[in-house]
Every structure is written in structure tokens, then in C-alpha cells.
Amino acid sequence: MKILSLFISPLLALIIGLLFLGISRKITAKIHWRCGPPVYQPLIDVIRSFSQKSISHGAFFDFGIILSLSSSVVLIYFLPVGDLYAMTSGGLIAFLYLMLLGPFGIALSSAASGNPNSSIGVSRKFLLALAYEVPLLLVLLTVMTHYNTISLVEIVNIQAGTGMAFSSWALVLPGIAYFLILPAVLGVRPFEIVSAPQEISSGPVAEFGGKHLAFYTLQHALQLFVGLALFVNIFLGGGTLFGLLNPIAGTVWATILGIIIFLVKMFIVLVIELFINAVYPRFRIEQAMRYLWKWPTLIAFVGLVIVAILN
Amino acid sequence: MEELKKKLLAYFTDLTIQIHDDYRMCINTQKETVVSLLNYLKNMGYEHFALLSCIDWIDKGEFELIYILSAYMEVCDKYQEKEQGIIIIKARISRDDAKVISVINVFENAEPYERELHEMFGIKFEGHPRLTPLMLEREYEIPPFRKDFDTLKYVDNTFGKIPSIEERKANYERT
Amino acid sequence: MDRNQISKWFKNPGKMANKYSFHVVYFCTGCGIIEIPPSITTRWDAERFGIIPVATPRQANLFLITGYVSTKTLKAIIRTYEQMPEPKYTVAFGSCPINGGMYYDSYNTITSLDKYIPVDGYIAGCMPRPEAIFIGVTHLWKLIDMDKADGYKRYRRDYKFYRANQEQLFKELGWPPLFKDASL
């Protein structure tokens, strides 16, 4: 199972990520009262980008985007999708560390491209990361304290053991805090400051064309998958649903159904994020930092205090 | 407006002033007077330099420079002195020897207007720090906004002379 | 529209993907840009054909020149066109890029665009309505199917002639030639 999941989980993440990108474009179009592109439109875009000749700006330009994509693939291995996981060790600490490598690779290659818009985009990206890392670290610290473990798989298993999809009431406040910063983690509309096409010509990817753009799109799809899957794993109980799958636990059907439940949960979170995305305009960077360091941080901190008292 | 007209006529000698309606005053003057007139009007409260433009009177051999000033609406004690309205100042210069003193020292925002007029009409503004090209990419023998600039002939001579790719290819293969 | 025919996708994926994923860089010269916002937003919704505007020429494969081309913008147009990755398509929009349009005798507006960069198709009219853009796109699909939208190949093949025309207009261009064989 573990060896199989080494191949299946990145593939699944890529397909689901691209599908979610397509669905998000379709749903946004429906909110705008448009017909919208077909859901496989991102796949067409990726094929087109691969068919185009790309212009390289040096070795670091190529290396950075490869680093970003590969680190995202490695990130998938740390992430249990239902029963489908490759490693049980490592856990949240390694996960947090690897989560920074994706933006770092993009920053590396856009610095090599020498476009001023790219440098502005990269500086915005790191400022935004600085802003959302504080509440994110508080939330994850709360989770680790509450469950007394750093392993993602164990966290999911404990949630399955209680028979509840939603975690214990002590984690409600951190859950709210994570949900408030989720648009910033995913980089959707209120926090679309990094790749603002109208301001800084799509920011870090301003010089990406052809195959580089295709790799970036794949990396973006993986990042979307990771951001949603982490939320589902920690707060929504992963691939379990009120102990529904307990009677057939251990069979292949249970694994497949677990994955499907997991994806449905991800989809629901995505749709809620899309509604926010379609309605809100874009923050300025200092507005985003003020928001992220005020309410989510406060809620996460209160949650941490509650969990610490309970323990 | 009438009050202002009286003041101006008392201060300057070589002005002819018409008031078209309550809000528009047209002043004809000499090019030497323009700077001091603008200075005076600026101190009167007409602080908004709206436009500097030019008309080519080719029959008379003259350019007519047009300075348009207006005042910001402001309710204050000086309201009686500073009347709302537009002041149009016209000064004629010779077409062959198109030179005039720059008004940048009075109104700094005249700089792009003067560059534009230098580029389009070939008027030399004395005292302007940089009369470099502002909008045009190419250089013209006659500045293009002068009336004796034949646009159709110019287009035929420059853009029309450039061959299409097929013609150029045929020429290249022939030689 | 043969977007759903899977056999064609397997036969020539690059061509099909280029047809149904036009990432457009709009060159906002003149009045044509007014027609673009209705065509990409709710009323006409260009995104259902996969047409979306992008912010940089590196990500684009369709170049839409909307309106008259003055000599100064022509410089920027040439640079933008050279920055786009191949395969790339150019569509000139309105009558001004065809023969100058109402600016036929302007001192600063070039009369025909295809002397300087290759143009794959024209949408005539002053101004064309958004429907005309979609008709133009469907014609471009046909041209791509028949391999007749070969502007980028012509540019590569006849680069020295294009470069000679550009240099005749500008005297000095200020950037090195895109391809090696550049002088006549």
C-alpha cells in the first residue's frame, strides 16, 4: 500500500488540483452569470504551455521552478489522503519546513529573471507568508499540544477513533482561525496580492512562459491541493465521516470510499473559499498584514490558551 | 471681472481686454508682457495654469500663443478680489523667428506644454531647461503641426516608401 | 468547434491546445480597447472558448492589436511580439492597422502593420463589434487547422526583411536582432 501510494498520491494530487482549478474557474464564471470554460480548461492550458517554446533566463531560472515543483511533490508524501499515505514519520514540523520551499523556488527563479515586477511580487509573497505564518504556527502548535503528537497520520487516526469528523470542541477556535487565514494560504482573492495581474503583471511569474509556465501551473495546482488537504486533515477528520466506514475497515472499498469522502470535504471547503474569492476585492499588503495579525492571531492565541489549560 | 479689468488696465499699458460673458476674459497682449502679466494674475489668485496652446496663422505669418488661467473655488475673505472665471491671454509672435520667453518660473506645470509646442510647432522657449522630444519618435524637417506641413506627401514619402515584405524579398532575390 | 473530439486531441495535442487556449495580450492602442471589456466579461464571455487576457507577453500566444499604431507604439509592439513564445498568432483589430483607416494621412501613424510584423488575420471594421472578435477567432481556428496561421514561421524565415523594414522606419532600433541571420 505504501509503495503504491508513492505513485498514486502525487498523481491524484495533480489531477485533483487541476480539476479544482477548472472547477474554480467554472464556479467563478457562474457567479458572474457567465457560461465559463469547461472544467478541463487548465489541462488544455498546461498542454498548450508545454507545446510552446520557453525562454530561459539562466540556470537558476530553470532550477528554481523545478525545486518548487519537486518540493510540492514531496509535500504530498507527508499528507495522508484518507488511508493513502506514504510516510507516518516527519509530521507537521517537516511539513511546515517543506511548505516554505515552494515559494522559495519560485522566488529563486523570478529573481534570476530580473523583471522588476517579479521582485515586487516576491517581496509581497514573503511579506504575506510572514503575515500568515504567525497564526498558522499558533494553530498548528495548538493542534500538536491538544493531540500530544506531531504526526499528521496519528492526528487523523485519533479523530477517526472518536468517531467524529469534526474535532473536539477545544479545537473549534483554532479551526476558525485557520479558516480565516486559508485564503491567504491558498492565495485567492482577498489575498491575491502576490500575483495581482492588473498591478504587477502577475508578479513572480511575469517572465514565465512555455514549459516554465506549465510547471508553475502544476505547482499551483499542487499548492491548492496541499492547502485544502491540510485543513481537511487537521480539522475535518480526514477521510472519516462519523465512523461510517468502521464496519468495512481494512478493505479496499474502505480506502476508496475514504478517499472520496476526503475529496468531497476538500471540495466543500474550496467552494466556500470560491464564494469569498468571487465577491471580495483585493487587499493592499499592509491591510492584509493588519487583518492577519489581528483577528486570526487573536483567535488562535485564545484557542492555544484554552487547550493549554485543558491539558 | 469688471473690477479686475480696471485693475489690469491701470497696471499694464499694452492690453486690450474683452469680457465675453461673466466668466470669460480675453486679454490680447505683447509677448514681452506675458510673464509679468501671468505673475500679476497669479498673485491675484488665478493659480491654476490650465493650458498653453498655439494657433498657426499662416496668412499673417504669426503664431498665436494662448495661455489659459483659472482660479480655484475658495470661500474666504479675499473672495471679493478673486473672482471665479477663466482668463485667456493671447500673444502673437513672428512665425519665422519663433522665440518666446518661457513661463516656467511662474508656473512650473508649463514645462510639458512648452516641450510639446517646441516639438509640434518649433517654437523656441528661452529659459526652458530641456527642450527634448516629448511625444514623437521621429524627427521632422518641418514641425508637423505647422500649416505648411503636407501630411499626405509626408506619409507617401516615409511610410509609403517602405516596401512590403514580398516586394523586398523579390528585390533581394533579383539582385 | 471540435474541442470534445478526443481522437483529434491524441493526434495532435499541441495544435488542439493552442486552438482552445488563447491567452491574449491586448495591445491597447486607440479606440479598439473599448470593445475588449464587454467581450471578456459577462455579456459575451470569451472565457467559454478558453480566451483569457494575460498580463505579460511571455504567457501569451495570441496578440491582439486593437486600433491605430503610431510609430512610437510600433516599437513596443515589435518588442512585445518578439517576447512571445512560439507558436504565436497576431490578429489586427479594426481598419487602422490594415491601411491606416481614418489616420491614412497622419504624420505619426503607420499605414500598414504587416510590413513590420507578420499578421495572421484581420478583423475589419471601425470599430468591429465583439461578435466580430469571435468570428475572427473561429476563422483563426480554421487557419490553425490548415497550418495557414504561420506568421511566426514567416517571421523566423524572413526575419532579415522584417528587420530591414523596421530599421528603415526607425533608423536605429535599440535592441539586438532576435535571430542570427538578420542583415540583408
Side-chain angles (χ1 to χ4, degrees), chain B residues 120 134-138 140 144-145 149 151-152 154-155 158-166 168-169 172, chain C residues 71-72 75 104-111 114-116 157-158 160-162 164-165 168-171 184:
Chain B
M120 297 298 192
L134 177 66
M135 285 185 270
L136 299 181
E137 181 72 20
R138 304 167 55 81
Y140 298 83
F145 274 15
F149 180 83
T151 50
L152 205 54
Y154 176 80
V155 168
T158 49
F159 306 127
K161 281 273 175 63
I162 293 176
S164 69
I165 296 300
E166 288 76 24
R168 197 177 268 280
K169 209 172 174 183
Y172 178 73
Chain C
T71 43
K72 206 164 192 169
K75 231 175 188 176
Y104 70 101
D105 64 344
S106 168
Y107 60 95
N108 202 24
T109 307
I110 61 157
T111 46
D114 61 351
K115 288 176 180 174
Y116 311 100
R157 193 183 62 210
D158 300 340
K160 50 187 174 185
F161 306 117
Y162 282 109
N165 270 1
Q168 187 176 343
L169 184 64
F170 288 120
K171 306 290 186 299
L184 281 175

Side-chain angles (χ1 to χ4, degrees), chain A residues 48 52-53 55 115 117 201-202 205-210 213, chain C residues 23-27 54-63 76-88:
Chain A
R48 176 198 67 100
Q52 280 188 303
K53 285 201 174 98
I55 294 130
N115 191 318
N117 285 326
S201 338
S202 65
V205 288
E207 283 289 321
F208 284 32
L213 183 65
Chain C
H23 283 204
V24 193
V25 50
Y26 295 108
F27 207 90
V54 288
T56 74
R58 295 276 188 220
Q59 304 172 359
N61 66 343
L62 177 62
F63 191 17
I77 283 176
I78 295 167
R79 294 206 73 163
T80 311
Y81 183 74
E82 290 184 353
Q83 278 174 5
M84 285 164 65
E86 291 177 357
K88 51 191 169 186

Side-chain angles (χ1 to χ4, degrees), chain A residues 176-242:
Chain A
I176 292 171
Y178 195 152
F179 190 77
L180 289 178
I181 62 166
L182 197 54
V185 179
L186 298 179
V188 295
R189 187 60 54 66
F191 300 97
E192 203 200 14
I193 30 189
V194 178
S195 66
Q198 292 87 358
E199 289 171 39
I200 49 170
S201 338
S202 65
V205 288
E207 283 289 321
F208 284 32
K211 290 167 188 65
H212 297 88
L213 183 65
F215 282 135
Y216 172 74
T217 315
L218 295 181
Q219 195 264 347
H220 185 60
L222 286 180
Q223 285 286 334
L224 183 70
F225 184 86
V226 167
L228 291 171
L230 186 64
F231 183 68
V232 170
N233 264 330
I234 292 180
F235 291 107
L236 299 184
T240 59
L241 192 70
F242 298 106

Side-chain angles (χ1 to χ4, degrees), chain A residues 5-24:
Chain A
S5 71
L6 275 180
F7 298 99
I8 290 180
S9 46
L11 206 64
L12 185 78
L14 265 184
I15 294 168
I16 296 299
L18 281 178
L19 187 69
F20 277 2
L21 281 180
I23 288 172
S24 67

